[in-house]
Amino acid sequence: MDALQKKFLDLQEAIQSNMTEISNAKDALELQREDSLMRIKVERRLLEEEKSQMTEVMKFQTKIKLDVGGYKYTTSLATLTSIPDSMLGAMFSGRFPLEADESDGSFFVDRDGSLFKHVLNYMRDPVSFDAPMDREVARDLMREAKYFGLQGLSNLLED
């Protein structure tokens, strides 16, 4: 009987050990679940904030007035955001607060205004854009393209 009793106690101890392991694993999974839920809540809040900021873009009028180095331009929000990973695309995405000039409602960009017409023309229709023939203008426009993050225009001007 002693051997049988010993086996019974050993089995009982093994079962208890397994139950403890299962309980510990359950607790660890519960902590992971809570951590995951917390991260999801934070991500959801951040997403909602970004969504709210993105809807701010709708507050822009469809016509946007720009003052680029003293030159006045009027364009559409669609043009300015047509290349989302560009500086202008990001600037007018609604993710960043912008303040229009109180006197005329324009947004100031401290760049070469005489070259900006080429930037806008490229953003309006990159496929049909004709690079300026003048080498000096093309060189200066290359600098503007790099500043505005217009890789396609930079590539076009390098050719």
Side-chain angles (χ1 to χ4, degrees):
M1 267 306 216
D2 270 347
L4 192 56
Q5 218 171 7
K6 170 100 171 95
K7 280 194 178 239
F8 178 75
L9 289 174
D10 287 347
L11 280 174
Q12 196 174 26
E13 188 177 310
I15 290 171
Q16 186 61 42
S17 176
N18 287 340
M19 294 293 287
T20 301
E21 283 182 40
I22 290 170
S23 179
N24 290 341
K26 178 185 164 239
D27 291 345
L29 285 172
E30 184 62 29
L31 286 174
Q32 285 179 347
R33 186 182 80 78
E34 288 175 15
D35 184 54
S36 293
L37 285 174
M38 185 62 73
R39 277 188 275 124
I40 288 169
K41 285 179 183 178
V42 168
E43 288 176 20
R44 179 175 281 153
R45 182 181 51 80
L46 292 173
L47 186 61
E48 289 298 323
E49 286 175 11
E50 186 170 351
K51 180 181 171 186
S52 174
Q53 290 172 347
M54 296 295 277
T55 58
E56 290 293 313
V57 82
M58 297 306 170
K59 291 184 180 177
F60 285 124
Q61 299 173 0
T62 53
K63 276 200 313 192
I64 306 292
K65 291 187 222 173
L66 300 170
D67 175 349
V68 183
Y71 287 70
K72 302 292 183 173
Y73 291 93
T74 302
T75 190
S76 69
L77 181 60
T79 295
L80 294 173
T81 57
S82 65
I83 304 174
D85 59 345
S86 70
M87 184 270 245
L88 291 167
M91 185 175 169
F92 289 92
S93 69
R95 290 178 283 170
F96 306 102
L98 293 175
E99 288 191 33
D101 185 283
E102 291 179 14
S103 64
D104 66 358
S106 67
F107 296 94
F108 180 71
V109 180
D110 192 14
R111 295 304 290 179
D112 187 329
S114 65
L115 293 170
F116 192 71
K117 66 182 177 188
H118 300 293
V119 170
L120 277 181
N121 286 334
Y122 174 78
M123 292 184 79
R124 287 179 180 126
D125 188 5
V127 174
S128 300
F129 179 78
D130 290 321
M133 298 303 286
D134 184 293
R135 292 179 145 250
E136 189 175 325
V137 171
R139 184 196 68 224
D140 291 344
L141 183 56
M142 170 71 89
R143 184 175 48 248
E144 296 301 297
K146 287 180 180 178
Y147 175 81
F148 287 110
L150 299 170
Q151 188 60 48
L153 179 55
S154 293
N155 294 344
L156 185 67
L157 293 167
E158 285 176 346
D159 293 339

